[in-house]
Amino acid sequence: MNTASDDRARAGLRESATFDRPTIAAIQRAAETGIYDIRGWGAKRPLPHFDDLLFLGASMSRYPLEGYRERCGTDVVLGARHAKYPLHLDIPVTIAGMSFGALSGPAKEALGRGASAVGTSTTTGDGGMTPEERGQSKHLVYQYLPSRYGMNPDDLRRADAIEVVLGQGAKPGGGGMLLGQKISDRVAGMRTLPPGIDQRSACRHPDWTGPDDLTIKINELREITDWEKPIYVKVGATRTYYDVKLAVHAGADVVVVDGMQGGTAATQEVFIEHVGVPTLAAIPQAVQALAELGVHRNGVQLIVSGGIRNGADVAKALALGADAVAIGTAALIALGDNDPKYAAEYEKLGSAAGFYDDFQDGRDPAGISTQDPELAARFDPIEGGRRLANYLRVLTMEAQTIARACGKAHVTHLEPEDLVAVTIEAAAMARIPLAGTSWIPGT
Ligand SMILES: Cc1cc2nc3c(=O)[nH]c(=O)nc-3n(C[C@H](O)[C@H](O)[C@H](O)COP(=O)(O)O)c2cc1C
């Protein structure tokens, strides 16, 4: 096929790999406006990821399970280390924390509906717990964040688990932001801040400056909730081995590790693309830390997030040692984000279906990342919940298919030994042998 780029090449024109078109556009945009670029979504640069790993299905040396007849379990228990009431989930895929403010009220409600329909948990976010989200979520994890926006001790007691957020994969070391156009009266009321004014969330929690204080804070949270609820600690992937060890020492029942492909509602582009560690590299570090403390698959659970898209990603994360995964961006897409039916409207915003990442703007044609009442009214939480539940079922069935093919009667029985890597980088990061060899670079 004769393409425009073939024509340009024949004419002797050559595009720079260093100064490619997005780079040129970014320089021109910066020169024009004098402000840095803010957007949602996660890192878009190519990074070693789950696609660089493959499963070794069973054949002679391993025995597969029969797809339609033999059972392959998917349930997971989270937080049994200290909590009176750990979470019993039917599937190992959970919904990550996404703030009310970033997302509309109906979108939050739909996340609860979809998760509950398949027996899994959803999570609040910066900005607090909405009644519709609580009402529709069978298992609701309440985030306790550096910003304290929307923090309410009664909501801690209304939650099924508490997630202490130390960082996010999209912006480890940085705080969140919610631009004024999304601060409606309701969002402002929950955050006890004025409407219409940009809100920046702190990157450091005012209640602790280090691991010792965190231990005290976790104990306080346990006391005020009568030791009922599992306490998670969420970290953005950076020095993951040390962070996970410290989180466990501080008393976490569950550690959430969010890799750099992880989504965000809004932060600086330079942050999203240049800070953090890929999800693939973070998992073995977390597993090593838990294993050395004797708590891997033995008391403390590991939830991994950052770029999970399909059942193969879920299965690979579990095989590398996660007990469950969390999804954010994919859940929004399942709800209807970036739907081609809004192509004309995305175009009016200077974007396109499949490219739309301006969650910060609040003009989302799909009515999901907005507080505009007219746009939000386009989104039907019941239909959104149905779509999300379908998607979660597919993720689970795909992970089960792979687990059975590897001869496993439960998805969490998948193990590193079931995997090979197709690139040297992925092999080194995931600590998995390069396909056809027994070579794990760096070990
Ligand atoms: C719209 C949006 C809002 C988010 N809000 C929060 C938040 O309030 N608190 C938080 O810890 N993480 C937040 N995150 C990050 C998610 O919890 C999660 O770490 C990330 O989305 C996982 O990566 P994935 O999007 O590739 O699945 C948000 C992500 C998105 C996409």
Side-chain angles (χ1 to χ4, degrees), residues 96-99 125-126 143 168 234 258 261-265 306-307 327-329:
M98 291 184 274
S99 64
D126 230 351
Q143 282 200 332
Q168 273 179 246
K234 175 176 178 176
D258 190 30
Q261 288 99 330
T264 177
I327 59 167
T329 305

Side-chain angles (χ1 to χ4, degrees), residues 204-394:
R204 269 206 330 250
H205 205 291
D207 291 7
W208 63 79
T209 52
D212 295 339
D213 300 347
L214 180 58
T215 311
I216 296 168
K217 178 52 66 179
I218 287 180
N219 278 329
E220 268 176 32
L221 291 170
R222 287 199 198 283
E223 286 296 328
I224 61 170
T225 55
D226 204 15
W227 290 72
E228 287 180 351
K229 301 164 204 299
I231 309 253
Y232 301 11
V233 171
K234 175 176 178 176
V235 293
T238 53
R239 296 175 183 85
T240 308
Y241 169 78
Y242 296 105
D243 290 343
V244 170
K245 278 207 163 170
L246 290 171
V248 174
H249 279 304
D253 299 310
V254 175
V255 182
V256 182
V257 174
D258 190 30
M260 94 172 261
Q261 288 99 330
T264 177
T267 202
Q268 294 96 324
E269 155 95 9
V270 69
F271 218 133
I272 301 177
E273 296 291 349
H274 297 279
V275 182
V277 167
T279 307
L280 204 57
I283 305 174
Q285 290 192 33
V287 170
Q288 184 187 343
L290 296 175
E292 284 177 6
L293 295 172
V295 294
H296 182 236
R297 297 257 155 93
N298 181 30
V300 175
Q301 285 77 45
L302 173 65
I303 300 181
V304 166
S305 57
I308 304 271
R309 306 152 296 174
N310 51 44
D313 292 350
V314 175
K316 289 170 188 176
L318 299 183
L320 289 174
D323 295 278
V325 302
I327 59 167
T329 305
L332 301 185
I333 296 170
L335 294 186
D337 173 59
N338 270 293
D339 191 324
K341 78 178 175 207
Y342 296 116
E345 292 183 62
Y346 286 125
E347 212 168 303
K348 273 192 227 149
L349 298 173
S351 189
F355 291 75
Y356 182 71
D357 59 15
D358 291 332
F359 299 162
Q360 80 287 351
D361 266 356
R363 293 184 292 164
D364 180 0
I368 296 169
S369 57
T370 184
Q371 298 304 322
D372 177 305
E374 271 176 38
L375 291 173
R378 287 180 178 188
F379 178 79
D380 173 359
I382 297 174
E383 172 60 7
R386 186 191 69 81
R387 290 174 57 93
L388 177 63
N390 274 344
Y391 171 63
L392 290 167
R393 282 187 196 105
V394 170

Side-chain angles (χ1 to χ4, degrees), residues 58-81:
S59 55
M60 281 283 260
S61 55
R62 299 284 186 285
Y63 203 60
L65 296 189
E66 193 54 65
Y68 295 98
R69 269 178 277 152
E70 287 177 288
R71 203 182 129 67
C72 177
T74 61
D75 57 315
V76 57
V77 179
L78 299 174
R81 187 185 185 201

